[in-house]
């Protein structure tokens, strides 16, 4: 996640704030087998790719990248007015719009390393809605989010709800 712009609106001093902004969410889903996404307009399924000799390709890298523009709508509670000495908790919704999705595939064919990118919609939902919670102290925050809608369009792929868990480290002295 990369926040391009964020703004806090104090509701009660800096103890209670509404936080919003705009950012990018860059998701990478790595596949643990040589199966990759095979897509058409009807359904996205997992399957194997074959080379020009009709032999199954063994991938060294096989991942789906899905990139979003994200707008958070969060309610944040701070234990102190000074952020650098504050324990904070935030919860809310992340609204996201998909602007890109592609497969990145790396494999060897006839002794040569091959890299390809397959740009496709893969029947991925254009909009995503995540419930999120963030808990931290000073500039360190643990976060988790859960997608309220499925990654793929209904009946067009597996029913998956992406989950993200991570650590956010900020140092406001840099700005």
């Amino acid at each position: 996640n990369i926040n391009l712009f964020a703004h806090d609106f104090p509701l009660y001093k800096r103890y209670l704030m509404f936080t919003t902004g705009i950012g990018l969410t860059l998701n990478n889903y790595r596949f643990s087998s040589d199966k990759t996404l095979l897509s058409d307009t009807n359904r996205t399924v997992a399957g194997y790719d074959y080379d020009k000799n009709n032999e199954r390709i063994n991938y060294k890298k096989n991942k789906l990248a899905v990139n979003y523009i994200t707008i958070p709508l969060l309610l944040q509670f701070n234990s102190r007015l000074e952020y650098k000495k504050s324990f904070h908790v935030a919860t809310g919704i992340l609204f996201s719009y998909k602007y890109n999705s592609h497969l990145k595939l790396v494999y060897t064919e006839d002794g040569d390393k091959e890299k390809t990118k397959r740009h496709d919609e893969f029947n991925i939902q254009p909009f995503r809605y995540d419930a999120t919670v963030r808990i931290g102290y000073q500039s360190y925050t643990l976060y988790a989010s859960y997608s309220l809608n499925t990654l793929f369009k209904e009946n067009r792929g597996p029913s998956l709800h992406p989950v993200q868990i991570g650590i956010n480290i900020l140092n406001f002295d840099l700005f």
Side-chain angles (χ1 to χ4, degrees), residues 39-44 121-125 152-153 156:
S39 181
D40 65 25
T41 56
N42 295 319
R43 187 151 173 81
T44 299
E121 293 300 314
F122 299 106
N123 294 307
I124 295 171
Q125 299 270 12
F152 296 98
K153 295 175 183 174
R156 301 266 177 109

Side-chain angles (χ1 to χ4, degrees), residues 96-164:
S96 301
Y97 172 74
K98 178 179 64 87
Y99 67 88
N100 182 0
S101 57
H102 65 271
L103 283 172
K104 183 175 183 181
L105 306 165
V106 178
Y107 59 98
T108 303
E109 185 173 15
D110 296 331
D112 296 327
K113 184 177 180 179
E114 301 289 333
K115 295 181 184 179
T116 62
K117 280 190 181 180
R118 236 184 254 162
H119 291 271
D120 195 300
E121 293 300 314
F122 299 106
N123 294 307
I124 295 171
Q125 299 270 12
F127 295 97
R128 186 164 131 183
Y129 315 98
D130 294 1
T132 189
V133 64
R134 301 170 183 194
I135 300 169
Y137 179 71
Q138 295 182 345
S139 297
Y140 305 96
T141 304
L142 297 173
Y143 68 88
S145 65
Y146 174 80
S147 182
L148 299 172
N149 60 328
T150 59
L151 179 64
F152 296 98
K153 295 175 183 174
E154 189 173 341
N155 299 320
R156 301 266 177 109
S159 180
L160 303 172
H161 292 266
V163 174
Q164 296 181 51

